[in-house]
Amino acid sequence: MFTSISGFCQLSNQDTIVQDSVTIELDDPISRRLDSTFLAYYFEKEDFTTDTLQLNTFNFQPNEIPVVPDSIIVERLIRMSEMSPISFSPDKRTIAFARLYAEKKRRLTSRMLGLAELYFPVFEELLIKNQMPEELKYLPIIESALNAKATSPMGAAGLWQFMPGTAKQMGLEVSYYIDERRELYQSTEAACKYLKDAYNIYKDWHLAIASYNSGAGNVNKAIRRSNGKTNFWEIIQYLPRETQNYVPALLGCAYAMKYHREHNIYPIEPSRRNFEIDTVWINQRVKFSVVEKYLKVSIKELEYLNPAYPKLLVPDTKEDRPLVMPIVYIGLFESNKDSIYAKSKRSSSLPTDSSPKRTKGEEKNNEREGFIYYTIRKGDTLWDVAQRYDGVTMDDLKSENSHLNFKKLKTGTKIRIPK
């Protein structure tokens, strides 16, 4: 996707925003990330809802995309700068990204507004605690589109997209059973620490944000190549291409989220809101399949609320571990927890969490041929499937199922899992 800026702006049918003759390229990892994470399974859930009747204070027509001149966007960005330690510079790139989120990606912005009710209270709590700008809460939208299960091709994971090495340096656990990069509170604490440390080095939020994307080494190199300049817009040409758009993307996203009503955009809300979920703390092994049996809450919902447990179980740990669930199930869990613990022990005869159901004949054939079948569920990715089986990698799955197109996995497709 290419975005051009300055002057009049309109949308075409080819993901292009045209503004006179100056062009900047947005066909980079940021835009591709928006498109890929938009397909996350919970974005397609039927229980997202919205009610625009009370929110449409400007009396727009349904599906109307208001025509907003650049001058108005500039005024609003200047107003945002006055209210924040972060400068919302009305640069051409910032305006381009503001239009991207408010016009071309308006459906994504609606979903982000809905998911904000689940995630933003935690982001805001920790940002305030660390005396950091509240607008940094929009950074996970750029990183993961608020998809805690998001994984990049390079191995970054979670809402804040930490690489394994960086995560461990920041005190997060990344192991076979636990991946705290996907845990809301812990990963946000780590992100706050990283950004705060970066700000203490550069004394500039634009540079701190840029270093979050490309690392301090690239920012320092850009400063040296610009003869010591420390203004983001003055060193932008020396930064990696993705980082050149990263800061403007954050500023533009913050604009679209703040002025969504003025652009006829309203929240599409998920099935669960922040006040409808709660956490129980446990230090014994708990399988999601056992919780499902006793509480009648689906494994899919437990997986959605607890993305830090890739094997669909909370392992035995010395420290208490959080298990998030709808608040209506908390009392039932407490009254049945001894039975849940007992049934979740390793010696339990219950089937493993995610083994697909098989007929007797199918199982015999599978054992003889050295594989089992798994049926693709809605929202499954190749990485998700590999995580369900000990010792199985994505390359194993591709090799065993070379006849399939893994870029277009359909719900109900059976794939073979090597034993």
Side-chain angles (χ1 to χ4, degrees), residues 267-281:
I268 300 178
E269 298 174 350
S271 58
R272 297 291 181 187
R273 303 182 187 182
N274 186 268
F275 62 85
E276 295 176 316
I277 61 175
D278 205 348
T279 303
V280 293
W281 292 87

Side-chain angles (χ1 to χ4, degrees), residues 140-141 143 145 153 174 203 217 234 247 260 285 300-301 329 340 350 381 383 404 408:
I141 295 178
E143 287 289 342
V174 181
K203 307 300 180 184
E234 292 180 330
V247 173
H260 64 93
R285 184 182 180 90
K300 198 69 174 178
E301 182 156 23
Y329 296 108
I340 292 173
L350 288 172
T381 65
W383 187 89
L404 294 178
K408 297 180 180 180

Side-chain angles (χ1 to χ4, degrees), residues 356-369 371-375 414-415:
K357 295 180 179 179
R358 306 184 297 274
T359 65
K360 291 183 179 179
E362 191 177 39
E363 186 171 359
K364 272 186 178 180
N365 185 55
N366 293 344
E367 289 177 356
R368 184 174 67 251
E369 297 190 21
F371 62 85
I372 59 176
Y373 281 112
Y374 175 80
T375 303
K414 285 189 176 181
I415 66 173

Side-chain angles (χ1 to χ4, degrees), residues 237-367:
Q237 61 182 313
Y238 302 111
L239 290 167
R241 185 165 65 100
E242 178 182 347
T243 310
Q244 293 178 21
N245 288 330
Y246 190 79
V247 173
L250 175 65
L251 303 181
C253 175
Y255 166 88
M257 295 287 283
K258 182 174 179 61
Y259 289 101
H260 64 93
R261 293 188 185 187
E262 287 82 350
H263 287 270
N264 199 25
I265 302 173
Y266 312 100
I268 300 178
E269 298 174 350
S271 58
R272 297 291 181 187
R273 303 182 187 182
N274 186 268
F275 62 85
E276 295 176 316
I277 61 175
D278 205 348
T279 303
V280 293
W281 292 87
I282 55 181
N283 58 11
Q284 298 187 48
R285 184 182 180 90
V286 170
K287 291 183 175 182
F288 289 9
S289 58
V290 176
V291 176
E292 180 185 48
K293 175 182 176 182
Y294 280 89
L295 274 57
K296 307 303 180 187
V297 56
S298 72
I299 288 181
K300 198 69 174 178
E301 182 156 23
L302 289 172
E303 183 182 11
Y304 169 59
L305 294 174
N306 298 275
Y309 304 120
K311 300 304 177 184
L312 305 185
L313 63 85
V314 183
D316 291 301
T317 58
K318 294 180 180 179
E319 299 179 353
D320 287 351
R321 296 290 312 171
L323 179 64
V324 182
M325 64 183 67
I327 198 169
V328 294
Y329 296 108
I330 297 293
L332 192 58
F333 178 88
E334 292 295 336
S335 61
N336 288 277
K337 63 182 180 182
D338 291 339
S339 298
I340 292 173
Y341 293 153
K343 290 291 186 181
S344 295
K345 288 183 178 179
R346 286 181 180 273
S347 59
S348 170
S349 60
L350 288 172
T352 56
D353 302 311
S354 53
S355 298
K357 295 180 179 179
R358 306 184 297 274
T359 65
K360 291 183 179 179
E362 191 177 39
E363 186 171 359
K364 272 186 178 180
N365 185 55
N366 293 344
E367 289 177 356

